[in-house]
Amino acid sequence: MKIAIMHGEVAKGAGPDEQDGLAEVAFVSEVLARLGHETGAVSVSLNLEESLQQLSNVRPALVFNLVESLSGKGSLIHLAPSLLDALGIPYTGARTEAMFLTSNKLLAKRTLAGAGLPTPPWVSKREKPKMTTGPGIWIVKSLWEHASVGLDEESVFFAAEQTKIIEEMAARKKNLGGSWLAERFIEGREFNVSLIAGDDTTPKFKREDSVGGAVPLPEQGNPLVLPPAEIRFDGYPPGKVRVVGYRAKWEVKSFEYAATTRSFAFPPSDAPLLARLKELALACWRLFELRGYARVDFRVDAAGRPWILEVNANPCLSPGAGFLAAAAQINMSHAEALSRIINDAA
């Protein structure tokens, strides 16, 4: 099959988070070629007419959508699937509506809260805290950007009143631009749960096999919930804020990068918590009508209660990223993972 691999144009001098997108394109191209597909990369920018011409030249039967931003702006992520919808070309991953809803953190939190799913209280420019109003620790996040862009330990602060929270958001906007929201900071453990389309048909992945193992779901069309991963801060000294910021993800020479690790090993006592995380991840898949693949990020507070931080409708597929690391835990090959994603395209 002829498959166009669509990605956002990467400007000269772009940060490592955007540069990683090119490595992702090369990796997906290589795996699809091994599967016998004919591939070609299509770079998308704000010049949509040029993108349209590229697609016309390639004439793909399917587009593998890896676009995470346009012109470096995460707020434009939905333009890629919207363009493909208009052209009637089938593509992988979430549809336009789901991409928009999950990428805007404020809309995502409203949707989660409206469905009764746990997400930390928040404050935006137009909204007051809805669940917790007392003094506490907050974290300021970009409304649109993912990959921890603009996020570091300085993003976490104590506020005794709402005016302080508003001031912190205003300071961020002044220094970094864009739109921001503040979210109650959940001190505790951090988890990622990945999901991939396609029922599990391999008996060795049955629920009772192990703590943290994959959960095959009985209904046709449900995704496979991959083994949860915990992001550990074991190397952090006492008092240092434990947050997966930009340095922890992308600056390989930083302390945070070296001291933040991913683990799939859990004691039996974590079994109820892991089961709950999987249930919530599946609830997010259904709520946002996700497709192909996704990852849900959680924090778990001191009382053991999970909170949904973000729903990522197109997590990174680079071989070193968390999604394929989770797939590897059940011996799912790169080829099988990408095949499942392609088979769920529409």
Side-chain angles (χ1 to χ4, degrees):
M1 180 164 53
K2 198 167 190 177
I3 301 177
I5 302 173
M6 181 180 278
H7 64 94
E9 184 179 64
V10 178
K12 187 177 181 180
D17 54 305
E18 290 190 67
Q19 295 288 348
D20 186 67
L22 296 178
E24 187 180 17
V25 171
F27 170 74
V28 170
S29 297
E30 177 193 339
V31 175
L32 294 184
R34 279 195 271 120
L35 287 169
H37 299 295
E38 180 184 352
T39 65
V42 173
S43 174
V44 184
S45 69
L46 287 179
N47 187 342
L48 295 181
E49 185 64 33
E50 183 178 70
S51 303
L52 181 62
Q53 186 59 51
Q54 286 188 67
L55 286 169
S56 298
N57 294 339
V58 175
R59 301 176 66 84
L62 175 76
V63 167
F64 204 112
N65 180 25
L66 295 178
V67 176
E68 297 181 9
S69 65
L70 288 185
S71 294
K73 295 184 182 299
S75 58
L76 302 177
I77 187 173
H78 59 285
L79 291 184
S82 183
L83 175 65
L84 297 170
D85 284 338
L87 296 174
I89 301 176
Y91 56 92
T92 61
R95 300 195 65 83
T96 303
E97 297 85 352
M99 193 67 79
F100 187 85
L101 272 178
T102 54
S103 296
N104 182 301
K105 296 184 181 70
L106 183 56
L107 292 179
K109 289 176 76 65
R110 287 174 179 166
T111 306
L112 289 166
L117 296 176
T119 187
W122 70 90
V123 178
S124 70
K125 187 176 180 181
R126 296 184 296 272
E127 292 176 300
K128 297 179 180 179
K130 291 187 175 180
M131 291 174 274
T132 301
T133 56
I137 301 175
W138 296 79
I139 181 169
V140 177
K141 296 180 173 181
S142 168
L143 196 64
W144 284 101
E145 304 301 334
H146 290 270
S148 296
V149 171
L151 192 68
D152 53 36
E153 61 186 287
E154 286 75 32
S155 304
V156 180
F157 61 94
F158 174 82
E161 54 189 17
Q162 186 177 332
T163 54
K164 170 66 173 174
I165 301 171
I166 300 298
E167 289 173 4
E168 288 288 343
M169 285 194 289
R172 285 277 156 177
K173 184 173 183 178
K174 182 179 179 181
N175 295 334
L176 299 173
S179 300
W180 301 80
L181 63 77
E183 180 181 74
R184 193 75 145 179
F185 182 65
I186 306 298
E187 292 187 275
R189 301 168 71 184
E190 181 151 339
F191 294 83
N192 303 149
V193 180
S194 298
L195 308 98
I196 190 165
D199 294 325
D200 180 50
T201 56
T202 308
K204 65 182 178 180
F205 302 147
K206 286 182 178 177
R207 180 187 291 271
E208 62 271 20
D209 276 355
S210 64
V211 174
V215 178
L217 299 161
E219 302 93 342
Q220 188 71 26
N222 275 325
L224 176 66
V225 185
L226 297 174
E230 180 173 8
I231 307 302
R232 301 182 64 93
F233 304 93
D234 292 340
Y236 278 44
K240 183 173 175 61
V241 175
R242 285 154 169 75
V243 60
V244 184
Y246 192 84
R247 288 192 292 272
K249 277 191 176 178
W250 301 109
E251 295 185 6
V252 297
K253 295 182 179 179
S254 69
F255 166 83
E256 289 82 358
Y257 187 93
T260 306
T261 58
R262 182 190 303 123
S263 174
F264 293 94
F266 298 100
S269 57
D270 275 340
L273 171 62
L274 298 177
R276 178 61 177 154
L277 294 176
K278 293 171 184 175
E279 289 172 357
L280 289 172
L282 183 58
C284 290
W285 178 282
R286 290 170 173 157
L287 176 65
F288 291 101
E289 299 181 348
L290 299 175
R291 203 177 63 177
Y293 62 121
R295 192 194 71 230
V296 183
D297 299 338
F298 297 91
R299 277 270 180 162
V300 177
D301 64 22
R305 182 180 181 185
W307 298 85
I308 301 167
L309 299 183
E310 293 182 22
V311 178
N312 192 332
N314 62 340
C316 180
L317 292 176
S318 293
F323 187 87
L324 290 179
Q329 293 299 306
I330 55 170
N331 297 318
M332 181 184 290
S333 68
H334 296 158
E336 181 183 348
L338 266 57
S339 293
R340 282 174 176 255
I341 294 170
I342 288 173
N343 291 339
D344 202 40

